[in-house]
Amino acid sequence: MHCNFCNIIKKEANALVVWENREFLLFLDIKPINPGHLLLIPKKHIGDVFLLEERTYVRLFKKVKQIAAIVKKNMKAPRVGIAIEGFGVPHAHVHIVPVYKGNELNPLKAKCISEKKMTNINNLFVGSFNGMG
Ligand SMILES: [Zn+2]
């Protein structure tokens, strides 16, 4: 079965991974709505966030809360939006997006940014998530 996110987990596909533990992986979305847009995924392949086993689901959202605080601080964003749809890649994922005004959490606004800009954003996050466990 081909799954882009499983390939990232297996290091067979490139991604700017900013944090991981044994259960979850956090990386920069290659097509951000705003710079600093992250994707949090479980390492075990499951098609939908809402199919996660209850305890894993709770742990996932505890991570979302920790990550949102760090994104808010690092990106100087007044708010952090989260979104779950799952039409693009059939592997459970949560979008975590710094937002600066209303209605920005819109997938139509997602666009690729330069590799240099991605690297700069990645550098802003380096080490920031180390305390998350
Ligand atoms: Zn997968």
Side-chain angles (χ1 to χ4, degrees):
M1 182 204 59
H2 177 80
C3 172
N4 283 338
F5 290 173
C6 283
N7 289 341
I8 289 172
I9 292 160
K10 289 183 283 187
K11 316 284 183 209
E12 286 169 8
N14 287 326
L16 291 170
V17 173
V18 296
W19 173 83
E20 66 183 300
N21 70 3
R22 65 178 174 81
E23 199 170 29
F24 304 113
L25 187 82
L26 179 67
F27 59 98
L28 287 169
D29 194 316
I30 53 162
K31 218 176 154 191
I33 289 173
N34 277 329
H37 178 165
L38 295 163
L39 294 174
L40 179 65
I41 64 174
K43 286 188 172 175
K44 183 181 167 192
H45 181 89
I46 189 154
D48 187 331
V49 168
F50 303 116
L51 295 175
L52 285 170
E53 181 262 329
E54 194 70 14
R55 285 176 302 180
T56 310
Y57 181 85
V58 170
R59 282 196 295 273
L60 177 84
F61 274 91
K62 283 183 173 173
K63 291 300 175 208
V64 169
K65 186 177 176 183
Q66 291 178 297
I67 293 159
I70 294 165
V71 168
K72 192 171 187 215
K73 184 165 174 260
N74 287 29
M75 301 311 298
K76 297 179 173 52
R79 295 277 175 179
V80 174
I82 61 169
I84 297 167
E85 279 184 342
F87 293 112
V89 180
H91 182 128
H93 56 284
V94 182
H95 293 268
I96 304 169
V97 187
V99 285
Y100 302 86
K101 58 183 181 350
N103 301 317
E104 275 185 347
L105 200 60
N106 176 352
L108 296 174
K109 291 183 196 261
K111 57 182 188 301
C112 291
I113 57 177
S114 71
E115 203 171 310
K116 186 170 184 286
K117 195 156 189 190
M118 286 292 279
T119 304
N120 289 342
I121 297 294
N122 187 51
N123 290 341
L124 272 180
F125 281 131
V126 169
S128 298
F129 300 98
N130 287 353
M132 288 210 315

